[in-house]
């Protein structure tokens, strides 16, 4: 495989960054994943972290170096991530499970497969046009589909953040899967959170990524989005990938996986501040011991009734 | 949470002698220690009494290889080098507490309290009077009756079903972790290995499996772990009941299978239907075993001519059984 990839996430004007992004590849398969933890909800960033981490770890386990069945992989990994978030809520005795959107894409054998829940998006750009994009699982999108709203008023609709599908939360996610899509030389795949597509719009995303160098386009687009959003700027994240045919000459900053060993992985997982996830914290402080004991005792109380 | 046994290895080697138990009469929090019930590599279990003189079983986290407690001491000594591993093992001990706290079932040991003292942690359980199935098998070698086997396992499996319904795997089912109350009802003990959740997508932990009772996927391809892995261990425990010993290790069986089907070795002593069920559970290929506890229970419940099974052995299925569809 040959591709150029660049990702970046910024906090915007918020107190914490609840977006999480990662990509990971083996010799023959590539994974992109982005999650936007839901702000209004407790522990949104934990939900996003669990989602990204689960999907990446599943990929590292199963892409050896090819995934057996990419569509099945996506389905299983997202279901497992959803359940892991519920388990986290259970363990922490949270009244409500935290939530996160997710959009993730797998590429292997020259084909892309993606899946999403919520309003984080994937765009496939080809020949200066949007060749495919995900449909937001939002009320506004439903109203657009029914002709109750036009694009202009949708962009300013007060309820535009309301989504009806996500990982975590009290309802099982309604994950939407793409068909298997053949990639062509110079195709661009972009995964982004609403903090990016909101201020830029489809047009802005398309224009921004017409730049031949994704590693320059991405930071510039984030700058633009931040300027446009102003004082209320949300967390914003973008992963952009440019696909190159195996036969194409190797562009400067691109990755060629040909020489990788069968079981090797390269992973880029962005973590922020103290993105302590339940699975990664290894040492145990006195406080944590006290908390673990308190949790167990409260579970004992809860279940002995 | 992933519990990796490799991480509980000592940096500073410890003399491998048993740790001193807390003395009789010792006041531990609200409990009075009576005596030591058992000593494992990871913990000591005591019989103790609470303020109302109700007996309880208390499990003390005390890994032999990392911490040492001499006669007359209370706090175990943990060399600095071993401290991270000691704390890590403590996390695993918490996992056992977490798993058990969620499970309320007459065939699963009940945990009542969890606390910290003497530089370590303690789990308080309901005290059960009786003995382990392991002891029973040894006392009745070669004469464990079919009726007894069906009765114990059908009810023990009610507990295991509850474990699976909580998306947990036990992963250490064996006769010494199946406890028989004096009234004959079984109760599942020792969830030290139930740290692996069914849906967990995390790198696999290595629980302290017991060769002979552990499924091949537990020793090898851990991605294939599922309810069928516990079912293999149930099959091995059934086998131990009729044979008196564990079957050969499953990883060795995979190289060269020396296990004779019980349908060949024990015909006449037990019904063909029971022996077929045991052989079914002991299949090396996970897909060839019963896929759920429920299907195994049905097989164990199938009545033999002239032998009626009390309906009460089999808890109602509808309420607790959840499907595993969509999770592999
Ligand atoms: N609730 C209980 N009531 C009565 N006896 C118990 C109870 N829990 C444990 N025991 C006794 O202690 C023995 C050991 O318990 P258990 O299997 O939980 O620990 P272990 O095998 O030492 O565990 P580990 O692997 O964590 O060291 C049991 O076989 C049983 O004899
Ligand atoms: Mg035991």
């Amino acid at each position: 495989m040959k591709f150029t990839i660049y990702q970046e996430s910024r906090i915007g004007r918020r107190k914490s960054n609840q977006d999480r992004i990662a990509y990971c590849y083996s010799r023959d398969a590539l994974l992109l994943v982005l999650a936007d933890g839901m702000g209004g909800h407790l522990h949104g960033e934990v939900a996003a972290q669990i989602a990204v981490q689960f999907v990446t770890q599943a990929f590292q386990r199963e892409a050896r170096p090819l995934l057996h069945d990419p569509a099945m992989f996506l389905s299983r990994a997202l279901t497992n991530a959803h359940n892991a978030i519920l388990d986290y809520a259970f363990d922490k005795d949270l009244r409500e499970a935290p939530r996160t959107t997710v959009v993730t894409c797998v590429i292997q054998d020259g084909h892309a497969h993606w899946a999403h829940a919520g309003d984080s998006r994937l765009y496939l750009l080809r020949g200066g046009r949007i060749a495919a994009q995900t449909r937001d699982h939002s009320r506004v999108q439903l109203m657009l589909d029914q002709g109750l709203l036009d694009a202009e008023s949708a962009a300013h609709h007060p309820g535009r953040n309301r989504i009806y599908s996500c990982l975590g939360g009290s309802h099982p996610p309604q994950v939407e899967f793409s068909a298997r899509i053949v990639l062509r030389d110079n195709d661009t795949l972009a995964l982004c959170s609403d903090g990016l597509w909101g201020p830029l719009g489809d047009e802005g995303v398309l224009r921004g990524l017409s730049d031949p160098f994704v590693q320059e386009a991405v930071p510039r687009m984030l700058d633009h989005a931040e300027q446009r959003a102003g004082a209320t700027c949300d967390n914003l994240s973008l992963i952009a990938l440019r696909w190159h045919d195996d036969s194409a000459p190797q562009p400067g900053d691109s990755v060629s996986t040909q020489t990788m060993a069968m079981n090797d992985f390269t992973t880029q997982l962005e973590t922020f501040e103290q993105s302590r996830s339940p699975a990664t914290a290894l040492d145990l402080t006195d406080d944590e011991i006290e908390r673990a004991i308190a949790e167990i005792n409260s579970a004992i109380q809860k279940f002995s009734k | 949470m992933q519990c990796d046994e490799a991480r509980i290895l000592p940096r500073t080697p410890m003399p491998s002698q048993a740790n001193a138990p807390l003395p009789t009469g010792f006041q531990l929090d609200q409990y009075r220690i009576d005596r030591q019930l058992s000593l494992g590599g990871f913990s000591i279990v005591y019989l103790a009494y609470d303020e109302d003189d109700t007996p309880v079983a208390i499990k003390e986290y005390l890994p032999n290889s990392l911490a040492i407690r001499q006669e007359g001491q209370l706090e175990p000594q943990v060399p600095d080098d071993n401290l991270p591993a000691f704390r890590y093992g403590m996390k695993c001990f918490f996992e056992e507490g977490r798993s058990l706290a969620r499970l309320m079932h007459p065939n699963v040991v009940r945990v009542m309290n969890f606390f910290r003292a003497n530089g370590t942690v303690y789990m308080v359980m309901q005290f059960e009077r009786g003995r382990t199935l392991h002891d029973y098998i040894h006392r009745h070698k070669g004469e464990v009756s079919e009726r007894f086997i069906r009765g114990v396992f059908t009810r023990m499996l009610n507990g295991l079903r509850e474990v699976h319904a909580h998306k947990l795997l036990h992963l250490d089912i064996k006769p010494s972790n199946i406890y028989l109350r004096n009234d004959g009802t079984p109760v599942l003990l020792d969830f030290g290995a139930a740290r692996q959740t069914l849906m967990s997508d995390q790198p696999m932990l290595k629980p302290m499996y017991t060769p002979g009772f552990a499924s091949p996927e537990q020793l090898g391809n851990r991605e294939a772990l599922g309810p069928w892995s516990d079912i293999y261990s149930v099959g091995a425990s059934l086998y131990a009941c009729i044979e008196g010993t564990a079957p050969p290790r499953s990883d060795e069986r995979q190289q060269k299978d020396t296990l004779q089907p019980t349908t060949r070795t024990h015909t006449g002593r037990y019904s063909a239907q029971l022996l077929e069920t045991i052989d079914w559970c002991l299949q090396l290929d996970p897909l060839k075993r019963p896929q759920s506890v429920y299907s195994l229970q049905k097989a164990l419940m199938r009545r033999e001519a002239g032998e009626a099974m009390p309906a009460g052995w089999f808890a109602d299925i509808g309420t607790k059984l959840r499907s595993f569809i969509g999770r592999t």
Side-chain angles (χ1 to χ4, degrees):
Chain A
M1 292 190 301
K2 254 189 229 166
F3 54 87
T4 316
I5 191 162
Y6 192 85
Q7 64 176 7
E8 192 173 335
S9 178
R10 295 190 193 164
I11 193 168
R13 295 290 190 92
R14 298 296 161 90
K15 286 210 183 65
S16 65
N17 192 346
Q18 311 201 332
D19 285 3
R20 292 292 184 273
I21 52 180
Y23 64 80
C24 177
Y25 51 88
S26 68
R27 195 191 64 191
D28 298 333
L30 168 65
L31 170 85
L32 315 171
V33 53
L34 179 150
D36 174 358
M38 289 172 67
H41 298 269
L42 228 53
H43 301 270
E45 70 206 73
V46 178
Q49 175 82 21
I50 293 175
V52 165
Q53 202 163 305
F54 253 66
V55 176
T56 339
Q57 286 173 346
F59 180 81
Q60 290 173 347
R61 252 199 345 268
E62 296 182 32
R64 304 221 149 229
L66 275 172
L67 293 168
H68 179 63
D69 178 342
M72 274 301 292
F73 166 81
L74 288 174
S75 154
R76 211 169 43 223
L78 293 181
T79 306
N80 284 344
H82 170 71
N83 286 323
I85 296 169
L86 299 191
D87 274 14
Y88 171 85
F90 186 93
D91 284 343
K92 300 280 169 207
D93 220 3
L94 305 180
R95 254 186 305 120
E96 202 181 6
R99 307 186 200 181
T100 182
T101 70
V102 69
V103 55
T104 176
C105 177
V106 166
I107 301 172
Q108 69 176 31
D109 290 334
H111 291 82
H113 303 251
W114 60 82
H116 79 293
D119 65 356
S120 294
R121 291 185 180 174
L122 177 145
Y123 291 91
L124 171 61
L125 311 174
R126 175 178 294 166
R129 298 202 355 238
I130 297 177
Q133 77 181 90
T134 51
R135 257 172 190 282
D136 299 342
H137 298 145
S138 66
R139 296 255 294 279
V140 165
Q141 181 65 47
L142 286 179
M143 288 161 80
L144 269 168
D145 292 347
Q146 292 165 0
L148 300 173
L149 219 63
D150 59 28
E152 175 62 24
S153 36
H156 301 103
H157 195 279
R160 64 187 182 282
N161 291 328
R162 300 279 291 273
I163 61 174
Y164 58 81
S165 175
C166 58
L167 303 187
S170 44
H171 300 291
Q174 301 175 33
V175 177
E176 195 173 327
F177 298 90
S178 75
R180 185 172 120 113
I181 313 256
V182 189
L183 289 182
R184 302 203 193 138
D185 190 37
N186 232 16
D187 275 357
T188 304
L189 277 167
L191 277 66
C192 56
S193 59
D194 62 340
L196 184 101
W197 64 252
L200 296 187
D202 291 350
E203 259 315 297
V205 172
L206 185 59
R207 211 170 331 108
L209 286 170
S210 60
D211 191 307
F213 302 103
V214 288
Q215 56 277 48
E216 286 168 26
V218 170
R220 193 161 352 119
M221 290 166 74
L222 292 170
D223 289 345
H224 271 167
E226 279 187 306
Q227 280 161 18
R228 287 223 181 160
T232 59
C233 185
D234 195 357
N235 303 152
L236 61 169
S237 310
L238 173 62
I239 313 176
L241 169 120
R242 177 102 3 105
W243 185 252
H244 311 294
D245 265 356
D246 278 341
S247 58
Q250 176 123 14
D253 282 323
S254 72
V255 175
S256 171
T257 58
Q258 251 151 20
T259 55
M260 283 174 75
M262 284 279 277
N263 290 325
D264 247 22
F265 287 95
T266 300
T267 304
Q268 199 67 40
L269 176 72
E270 301 283 315
T271 44
F272 307 94
E273 295 118 87
Q274 5 81 344
S275 56
R276 269 188 303 129
S277 88
T280 54
L282 281 183
D283 206 17
L284 199 58
T285 64
D286 276 2
D287 260 10
E288 285 168 320
I289 295 178
E290 291 300 332
R291 236 178 299 136
I293 291 176
E295 272 165 32
I296 293 170
N297 282 322
S298 87
I300 292 171
Q301 296 304 318
K302 191 153 115 193
F303 287 93
S304 56
K305 274 166 207 155
Chain B
M1 174 69 197
Q2 11 175 328
C3 286
D4 186 341
E5 211 177 348
R7 291 241 282 283
I8 323 180
L9 292 179
R11 290 284 207 74
T12 302
M14 307 289 275
S16 59
Q17 70 186 47
N19 274 317
L22 296 172
T24 297
F26 183 78
Q27 192 68 36
L28 176 66
D29 207 81
Q30 47 181 306
Y31 309 96
R32 194 179 73 255
I33 296 289
D34 186 76
R35 64 188 163 88
Q36 180 177 354
L37 289 173
S38 93
L39 176 69
F42 203 61
S43 57
I44 298 183
V45 181
Y46 302 92
L47 166 63
Y49 291 91
D50 72 5
E51 292 141 329
D52 306 326
D53 263 345
T54 308
V56 291
I58 301 185
K59 196 170 194 174
E60 177 182 50
Y61 170 63
L62 196 58
N64 245 333
S65 56
L66 299 176
I68 189 162
R69 185 169 59 201
Q70 271 146 5
E71 280 301 324
Q73 290 182 332
L74 287 181
E75 295 227 354
Q77 306 294 309
V78 184
D80 278 354
D81 270 359
N82 288 351
L83 209 56
F86 182 80
R87 289 274 166 117
Y88 182 79
M90 189 180 282
K91 273 191 152 176
C92 299
F93 191 78
F94 288 149
E95 290 306 304
E96 178 173 5
R98 285 208 179 93
S99 310
L100 281 172
R102 298 186 191 186
L103 299 169
M104 267 294 285
H105 192 276
N107 302 113
V108 176
V109 68
R110 212 180 122 205
V111 52
M112 297 152 66
N113 191 10
F114 217 94
F115 65 93
R116 198 175 172 191
N118 303 332
T120 186
V121 286
Y122 296 86
M123 181 168 81
V124 184
M125 297 168 280
Q126 183 159 319
F127 177 69
E128 302 287 359
R129 277 170 226 277
R131 58 185 140 161
T132 65
L133 177 61
H134 178 87
D135 290 347
Y136 183 92
I137 293 172
H138 277 263
R139 277 183 218 186
H140 298 78
K141 219 163 183 165
E143 52 191 42
V144 182
S145 78
E146 173 150 354
R147 192 182 159 76
F148 170 88
I149 293 174
R150 287 183 186 261
V152 166
F153 279 81
T154 308
R155 284 176 289 187
M156 183 275 286
L157 289 171
N158 287 334
L160 185 60
R161 234 168 51 197
E162 182 73 3
V163 173
H164 289 177
H166 280 79
K167 294 183 272 173
L168 296 164
L169 295 176
H170 188 289
L171 297 182
D172 199 16
I173 292 183
K174 57 183 176 184
S176 61
N177 286 334
I178 300 171
Y179 200 79
L180 300 173
R181 298 187 180 105
N182 286 337
D183 68 4
T185 58
V187 49
L188 270 174
L189 290 185
D190 199 355
F191 280 60
R195 298 149 191 155
Q196 175 65 59
T197 57
L198 269 183
M199 31 100 10
S200 168
D201 223 341
Q202 312 196 357
M204 300 301 179
L205 58 102
K206 295 188 195 73
M208 298 166 204
Y209 55 78
T210 310
F213 294 102
S215 63
E217 58 271 23
Q218 240 169 301
L219 306 179
N221 170 24
R222 299 181 58 82
E223 314 216 333
L225 283 179
W228 41 86
S229 313
D230 279 338
I231 285 169
Y232 183 93
S233 306
V234 172
S237 304
L238 283 163
Y239 179 93
C241 287
I242 65 170
E243 182 60 41
T245 59
R249 294 173 56 122
S250 58
D251 49 353
E252 282 162 15
R253 287 185 59 202
Q254 272 178 321
Q255 300 303 314
K256 183 172 183 293
D257 198 357
T258 55
L259 180 70
Q260 299 274 336
T262 62
T263 36
R264 201 171 310 149
T265 53
H266 288 75
T267 25
R269 291 273 300 111
Y270 296 95
S271 73
Q273 196 270 342
L274 179 67
L275 298 176
E276 279 158 17
T277 305
I278 297 175
D279 294 343
W280 185 24
C281 295
L282 283 173
Q283 291 294 317
L284 288 171
D285 179 351
L287 287 172
K288 292 193 176 146
R289 292 172 220 150
Q291 296 295 295
S292 70
V293 171
Y294 177 49
S295 53
L296 173 56
Q297 275 186 311
K298 276 200 306 200
L300 286 173
M301 286 294 291
R302 201 165 299 159
R303 286 171 196 207
E304 291 299 307
E307 195 180 19
M309 308 290 276
W313 283 2
F314 196 27
D316 57 319
I317 319 136
T319 51
K320 285 285 161 48
L321 188 72
R322 289 191 214 156
S323 88
F324 292 106
I325 295 167
R327 302 196 186 113
T328 51

